[in-house]
Structure formats: structure tokens, C-alpha cells
Amino acid sequence: MAGNKAVTYLGPGKVEVATIDYPTFSMKDGPGVHQANVGRETHHGVILKNVATNICGSDQHMVRGRTTAPEGLVLGHEITGEVVEVGRDVEFIKEGDLVSVPFNIACGRCRNCKEGKTGICLNVNPDRPGSAYGYVDMGGWVGGQAEYVMVPYADWNLLKFPDRDQAMEKILDLAMLSDIFPTGFHGCVTAGVGVGSTVYIAGAGPVGLAAAASARLLGAAVVIVGDLNADRLEQARSFGCETVDVSKGDPKEQIAEILGVPEVDCGVDAVGFEARGHGREAADEHPATVLNSLMDITAAGGALGIPGLYVTGDPGAADEAARHGSLSIRIGLGWAKSHAFTTGQCPVMRYHRRLMMAILHDRVHIAKAVNATPIPLAEAPRGYQEFDRGAARKYVLDPHGLLTTA
């Protein structure tokens, strides 16, 4: 194979589809690749022909210039594909298998992996626990918004779909298993959502909508989604959620109108560090707003699931403290209310098989909930632009035209 088209980051607001090297079973030097990983042999991996590879809000943070991502970085960590080449040391995954790739890269051998903490594997990123494809400070593993990608530790990482024809019939739903569906589900599980719960989800982007669908799957009595974007709030209402327009002010009063009381059992932050204020402050960034608001409206003894992304370096932050990930959090309020907090990457492997079964047996229609929209790989720059403008869609890149024929 001579080449491999992929989406690359060129600087704030700029992406392009370029030709990069076809993947091999050895890590090469390049933008974002940690020098300790250069030359690393990955005969435990496979090469995938990508069937679907999604644009994520986390990618958008980099493309906006809100991280320290280097120019030339190949983007993309939400990957679904067909195995076209198997490494020497792979035992169980076979050529032709159709698989979902967790966005977390995990070795399956370290203490954290063995404890199910695959989001913070100790062996894949020389800088810190945890890694992902095509992401800043995550070890430099080449991203998957491409025609082909190498996936390491294939026997451990890959989720094989049991029947290819059945999987292709539901491929847009299954494409959500690499990240946003497990991430939204994790946010709800860690917030304590269960049968009869009332839950407030901050953010109606794809992760927030996936969290809302997850809350309904978990048996929540009332799911309330808050956002500033009218189209995204309409998308949340399309599958049975109540909504709060935070541009009208603090969500507390609107929650009281829905529930009769100004608080919920469970809170989920699906916004992260680019949060805006409420009411008259909605035009400006206030990165601690969502966390402080959730503490205010979540009942004493409740929990907050925080799948929204927070970073240690934000060159575009509003103040010096926020540039280093330091926010004015009302931790005293959370302490006084005995709240539990869960942050960090979702350990996708903890959930993805069960969520796959829910999809295959029509217990959930996650692609419809997040308005999954396939576009050709060549149109990725347009997808990024429209997503950045607030489109109520989850853009799914179709590198080989296989989604349109599914």
C-alpha cells in the first residue's frame, strides 16, 4: 500500500485531509510522538481498514487551539473497522473481523488494566497513565480519522462483533461504542443513575445526548438536559428528555418547574473546560460554572459523574490559573453535601460489550439519539466547521464509502 489519507491538525481552526504513511507494526517519529515510543515494536497489533471514524468534541478542543497539540498531528480516536492485517503475536483476532476500538489504548498487562482501569494503563504513554489515538500528550499513537490505522494489543483491546451482516445493519449505532456511548454511560453510572432517578445532564453535545440515552437505559424517571444551543436541546427532546435553556439563567428554577423541587438525585458534566456561564454570562467562558452548578442542584448524598474533558494545559484560557487547569471550584459546597465525584477517561472496556448487546437487540438506538450523520473522509474539514458552530449532529467519517452502502 502506497498511502493512507488522514485528517491532520494544521493549527487553530485548521484541519486538512493529507496523505500519510500506511501503518506498520513499528512506531515512527512524527508530530506528537513521544521520543520514548519511537521504534516501539507492535507485533501484538493489527491494521484496520476503517469503516467508521467519528469527529469528537475532544478533537474539537485541539482544533480550536485550546490544547498544546502540535501541528501535523493525525486526529481521531473513535474507530470502527475491518481487520486487514494481523501482527505476528496476535492469537485470537483474525483477518476479516469487524471490530470496535476503545479510544483508550491499554496493554492488558499492567496493574491498572488488570483492575479494569483501562483508561489509565501504565505502559502505553511514557509521560503519564493513559493513552488514546491521535491525541495531545497521549504518547503519540497515530490517529484513526484515516483510511487505515494500526491498533496495538489487539487481542486485548478489540471488541469483535459476533455477526458481520447484523453489525453492518446497525453500524452507525455500533460506531458509537468506541467512545461517546460508553463515556456517557460511565458518566451516568458514576453519578448513581438507576431506576427512578432524577438526573441533570449539563451539555447537549454528542456525549451529553449519549449520557441522556444512557440514563433512560438505566431506568431514570426523569432526564433533564441543559444547554445554550436550541437545536441541541430539540434533539434531546426528540427522544423523551426534559430540557433547560441555561441562557435564560441558572438551571435551578427551571428544574424546579419540571420536578417541583430545585434539585436532582444525580448530576453529569458533559461539557468540560470550555464551559460558558449561565444567563447574562452565557456569552463568556466560565470554566467552573458547570461543576459549581451541579454541586448546587444535586441533592445531598448524591454523586457527580464528570466525563467532560478537563486539561492541564489550555493556552486559550480566560485567566492564568485556568491555563494550568486550576479552576475556582466550590469544593466546600461539595464536601458539605457529601457529594461523590468521578473524573477521568471512561474505561471503555468496562461497558462496551454490554452496550453492544443492547444495540444488537434493539434496547437502545444511540445513533438516532445523537443524530449520527455520515460524511466522506474528504469532507472532514466541513464536519469540523459545522460541529464547531454547534450543529446538533455527531459526524461519522466514511473513509471507504461503506456506510452509504450498509
Side-chain angles (χ1 to χ4, degrees):
M1 297 271 182
N4 178 24
K5 294 191 181 302
V7 181
T8 58
Y9 169 65
L10 298 183
K14 299 177 183 178
V15 299
E16 74 170 10
V17 179
T19 298
I20 65 170
D21 291 339
Y22 186 81
T24 66
F25 297 116
S26 178
M27 290 187 70
K28 299 178 181 178
D29 201 0
V33 179
H34 196 288
Q35 288 304 297
N37 268 346
V38 175
R40 184 171 181 164
E41 299 296 319
T42 57
H43 298 290
H44 41 65
V46 300
I47 294 171
L48 297 185
K49 176 182 179 180
N50 289 335
V51 173
T53 176
N54 314 334
I55 295 175
C56 180
S58 299
D59 300 319
Q60 199 72 63
H61 292 306
M62 288 188 291
V63 173
R64 290 189 187 116
R66 298 300 298 270
T67 72
T68 55
E71 294 183 14
L73 184 73
V74 178
L75 301 169
H77 56 269
E78 300 190 16
I79 307 164
T80 307
E82 177 188 355
V83 177
V84 293
E85 189 174 345
V86 176
R88 179 192 66 205
D89 300 331
V90 177
E91 186 175 0
F92 302 111
I93 293 294
K94 305 299 181 186
E95 187 175 319
D97 287 347
L98 194 62
V99 297
S100 176
V101 184
F103 78 90
N104 323 109
I105 301 173
C107 72
R109 296 154 168 80
C110 71
R111 171 182 174 174
N112 283 351
C113 283
K114 290 180 178 181
E115 293 177 354
K117 302 171 184 175
T118 55
I120 44 174
C121 174
L122 300 173
N123 288 331
V124 288
N125 183 356
D127 275 338
R128 66 183 72 168
S131 191
Y133 305 88
Y135 211 82
V136 58
D137 295 332
M138 288 290 186
W141 301 85
V142 177
Q145 286 174 17
E147 293 175 313
Y148 299 91
V149 68
M150 191 280 295
V151 174
Y153 305 104
D155 283 326
W156 169 248
N157 281 305
L158 295 180
L159 175 67
K160 177 184 172 181
F161 301 140
D163 181 273
R164 184 186 181 88
D165 291 339
Q166 182 190 29
M168 288 305 294
E169 288 176 4
K170 299 179 181 291
I171 194 63
L172 275 182
D173 294 280
L174 295 171
M176 303 302 119
L177 289 173
S178 58
D179 183 353
I180 66 163
F181 192 12
T183 293
F185 194 83
H186 179 63
C188 289
V189 168
T190 55
V193 177
V195 174
S197 298
T198 58
V199 55
Y200 177 74
I201 297 166
V207 170
L209 295 171
S214 298
R216 291 174 61 82
L217 184 63
L218 287 164
V222 184
V223 180
I224 306 171
V225 180
D227 205 294
L228 303 159
N229 183 312
D231 291 338
R232 289 180 171 182
L233 291 175
E234 178 60 32
Q235 181 63 25
R237 288 191 291 271
S238 74
F239 60 97
C241 300
E242 302 285 346
T243 58
V244 163
D245 183 347
V246 297
S247 70
K248 296 179 179 178
D250 190 288
K252 203 166 188 177
E253 292 183 6
Q254 295 176 68
I255 289 171
E257 291 177 5
I258 295 167
L259 296 177
V261 292
E263 64 181 18
V264 292
D265 301 324
C266 316
V268 178
D269 174 5
V271 179
F273 74 104
E274 287 192 65
R276 296 189 176 275
H278 296 156
R280 282 179 285 185
E281 296 183 334
D284 301 317
E285 277 195 23
H286 294 272
T289 294
V290 170
L291 290 172
N292 288 331
S293 175
L294 284 173
M295 285 187 276
D296 188 34
I297 64 179
T298 301
L304 276 61
I306 309 173
L309 175 67
Y310 290 87
V311 295
T312 56
D314 175 9
D319 58 62
E320 186 60 31
R323 288 188 182 94
H324 303 284
S326 296
L327 309 180
S328 298
I329 303 298
R330 294 184 64 194
I331 192 66
L333 176 61
W335 189 93
K337 297 178 78 172
S338 294
H339 284 155
F341 300 78
T342 301
T343 66
Q345 289 188 32
C346 164
V348 171
M349 294 174 68
R350 188 177 299 174
Y351 307 108
H352 65 172
R353 185 186 178 279
R354 287 180 288 164
L355 295 178
M356 175 189 74
M357 296 300 289
I359 289 169
L360 293 177
H361 294 279
D362 292 318
R363 297 294 297 165
V364 63
H365 299 94
I366 188 65
K368 184 177 181 181
V370 302
N371 197 16
T373 304
I375 60 173
L377 184 69
E379 295 184 22
R382 173 177 69 85
Y384 271 96
Q385 291 170 0
E386 293 180 1
F387 189 37
D388 191 47
R389 291 196 292 264
R393 299 178 182 275
K394 173 68 173 177
Y395 286 103
V396 181
L397 303 179
D398 185 4
H400 297 279
L402 297 172
L403 300 180
T404 56
T405 59

